[in-house]
Amino acid sequence: MSSTKHHPLRVIGMLPRRAQALLVANAVNSFGAGLVMPFLLVYFGDVRGMDIRIAPAAIAVTGLCSFGSGLVWGHLLDKLSYRLVMPVVMLIAGVGTGLYALADRPWIALAVSALYGLGMGGVGTVTKTMFATVVPKEHRTLTFGLEFTLFNAFVGLGVLVGGLVAAGTLRSYQLLYLGDGLSFVITALAFMVLLPKSAEKQHRKPGADADAPKPSYRTVLRTPALALALFGMLLCATVSLSQFQSALPGYVTVNDAVAPRGISVAFIANVVVIVLAQFLLMPRLTTVRRSTLISASGVLSAASWVCVYFAGLTSGTAALVTLVVGVAVFSVAEVIVIPIVAALINGLVTDEVRGRTNALFSFVISGGMILGPLLTTALLDVDRGRVLIVVLAVASLLVPLAGLRLRRSLSDEHDRPVPEAAPEAAAGPAADAEPEDELAPATA
């Protein structure tokens, strides 16, 4: 099967027009996130003159509220209309971040951070549910990969623009937070306009399957393959994704191996490799078993920590080069695992529990983002962080074990991506279809 046939740019052209528009809206939202990402500490401390502890406290409050509200949003998605829940999530998050522009007292800052967290708890869930609803299942892996790549690229672009706009004045930072809020409003409007009217949940018919368990988080987790996929994602988030911003910079800093500017170079390399890997690597992996790719991500994660370990034993150019190599390997693992698991779990469920399933996906990633830094805090001071890096490398090898178990739990239909229709066949009907035909959602 030709890799050109699966090239992301070609797949974008084959997607429904509403899916293409949603990718654009999601990119706008990512750009807004980048505008404000690095500046909360500076804004509250230097510009607003608050205690330096307020910004970390606000970030913690946002994280806790996001973590606590995520499963609630997933439940509501499966109970209420998508056209109601999805825009509301975005509007709450948008109002939250926009109100930072007016937060001139500590209690207001913490209240706003709580509101922002309540909305952010559902953002990932509704976005993935949206794409799973409007994108044909044979294109989900590449679509989730494109979403992930665009997120990283536009966050990076937003950080760059935000740095140019932030002039140290109150008005400049207020503009940034209002800009982030506007990006959520744009996404909310896109969801309201672009979500198909027919893309609603498959409600249980009266009298049908009376003995079957009612949809719930428990019934979702009773699916062995789904539980294994989520467990593998939790492992990846704990020992890899979350550690990119905690263990990696902490270890090379403790060992005086790489200067802060060098760490910035590594972060830039992460974004560049993610974009390149999506366009060069992912199209060639669409016929590989998903369980194999999940296992491969764990092996790559372990290899990246080996590179980071040796970077901490050297200094100067040698340390920087070794670190960048480790980050590049890490980035490939990141590109592989997130889109693959997202597409896999959405293929295993029906619309009846899709909201809960995507909420669990966001939940385990958030859980890993909490557990990972806690692990770093506990072990970073032990033998100058070397024990921490060894633990992360060894723990990464648990992911291939989960992948092997997953392979035995999956049918070929779900483990192997669905063969893509010939481009001519895919392009023809899409071009000639009536508008109402395009409203039909993809089914799992």
Side-chain angles (χ1 to χ4, degrees):
M1 188 172 292
S2 171
S3 62
T4 303
K5 182 178 178 180
H6 294 282
H7 194 281
L9 291 178
R10 187 156 191 168
V11 172
I12 290 176
M14 296 169 62
L15 293 176
R17 287 189 296 274
R18 68 178 74 251
Q20 299 174 26
L22 284 169
L23 284 170
V24 173
N26 199 51
V28 171
N29 187 227
S30 303
F31 176 79
L35 286 176
V36 299
M37 183 172 288
F39 300 124
L40 194 62
L41 185 64
V42 175
Y43 174 59
F44 281 162
D46 295 348
V47 179
R48 288 294 190 181
M50 298 184 195
D51 189 292
I52 195 172
R53 294 171 294 183
I54 295 300
I59 294 172
V61 168
T62 296
L64 287 173
C65 291
S66 175
F67 187 70
S69 65
L71 296 182
V72 176
W73 287 121
H75 177 79
L76 291 176
L77 273 173
D78 290 335
K79 286 291 186 181
L80 304 176
S81 168
Y82 287 173
R83 299 172 71 85
L84 170 64
V85 177
M86 290 183 173
V88 166
V89 166
M90 291 297 175
L91 288 175
I92 291 176
V95 170
T97 189
L99 285 177
Y100 274 128
L102 304 178
D104 57 354
R105 300 176 187 177
W107 72 268
I108 297 178
L110 295 178
V112 167
S113 67
L115 178 64
Y116 179 52
L118 289 175
M120 287 301 295
V123 169
T125 300
V126 301
T127 301
K128 285 181 172 54
T129 302
M130 170 67 85
F131 280 112
T133 301
V134 302
V135 174
K137 60 181 179 178
E138 62 267 25
H139 295 321
R140 282 179 187 161
T141 299
L142 281 174
T143 302
F144 284 127
L146 285 168
E147 177 213 352
F148 179 69
T149 301
L150 290 172
F151 170 81
N152 283 276
F154 277 84
V155 164
L157 181 60
V159 170
L160 177 62
V161 173
L164 296 174
V165 172
T169 64
L170 174 60
R171 184 174 297 276
S172 65
Y173 284 99
Q174 287 177 319
L175 286 174
L176 291 179
Y177 283 103
L178 291 174
D180 186 26
L182 179 61
S183 73
F184 280 102
V185 173
I186 292 173
T187 308
L189 291 174
F191 281 8
M192 292 176 65
V193 172
L194 298 171
L195 183 65
K197 293 181 180 179
S198 56
E200 295 298 336
K201 297 154 290 297
Q202 299 171 355
H203 295 290
R204 187 187 300 256
K205 296 179 180 180
D209 297 326
D211 296 331
K214 295 181 179 180
S216 67
Y217 281 109
R218 182 178 297 180
T219 58
V220 173
L221 291 174
R222 280 178 179 171
T223 305
L226 189 56
L228 279 170
L230 291 171
F231 175 70
M233 192 69 248
L234 176 63
L235 280 175
C236 290
T238 303
V239 304
S240 184
L241 303 180
S242 64
Q243 303 295 356
F244 185 67
Q245 295 182 351
S246 54
L248 185 148
Y251 172 68
V252 296
T253 299
V254 165
N255 288 278
D256 298 319
V258 177
R261 182 174 295 180
I263 296 175
S264 298
V265 171
F267 274 67
I268 293 172
N270 173 243
V271 175
V272 172
V273 174
I274 283 175
V275 174
L276 291 177
Q278 168 61 40
F279 283 90
L280 300 178
L281 181 63
M282 281 298 290
R284 292 169 171 79
L285 298 179
T286 52
T287 57
V288 180
R289 286 184 178 270
R290 286 167 170 164
S291 58
T292 301
L293 293 175
I294 293 172
S295 297
S297 72
V299 174
L300 290 172
S301 176
S304 72
W305 288 123
V306 171
C307 292
V308 171
Y309 181 88
F310 283 106
L313 301 181
T314 57
S315 60
T317 303
L320 178 58
V321 171
T322 307
L323 180 65
V324 169
V325 170
V327 168
V329 175
F330 163 84
S331 303
V332 173
E334 192 177 8
V335 167
I336 289 175
V337 70
I338 293 179
I340 290 295
V341 175
L344 173 61
I345 64 174
N346 274 284
L348 289 170
V349 299
T350 64
D351 288 343
E352 195 175 32
V353 290
R354 192 174 304 284
R356 291 180 178 90
T357 301
N358 284 300
L360 284 170
F361 181 78
S362 298
F363 185 78
V364 298
I365 292 180
S366 297
M369 293 298 182
I370 294 172
L371 294 174
L374 289 176
L375 182 62
T376 298
T377 302
L379 297 179
L380 186 59
D381 289 336
V382 181
D383 193 22
R384 300 180 68 85
R386 295 185 182 94
V387 172
L388 170 64
I389 302 304
V390 170
V391 168
L392 294 177
V394 173
S396 296
L397 296 178
L398 295 176
V399 177
L401 296 180
L404 291 174
R405 290 290 302 273
L406 180 62
R407 180 167 182 169
R408 291 196 289 267
S409 301
L410 289 173
S411 64
D412 281 347
E413 176 188 0
H414 293 117
D415 200 14
R416 293 182 182 275
V418 178
E420 189 174 298
E424 295 78 12
D432 298 333
E434 295 296 327
E436 186 62 29
D437 293 339
E438 192 183 351
L439 296 179
T443 56

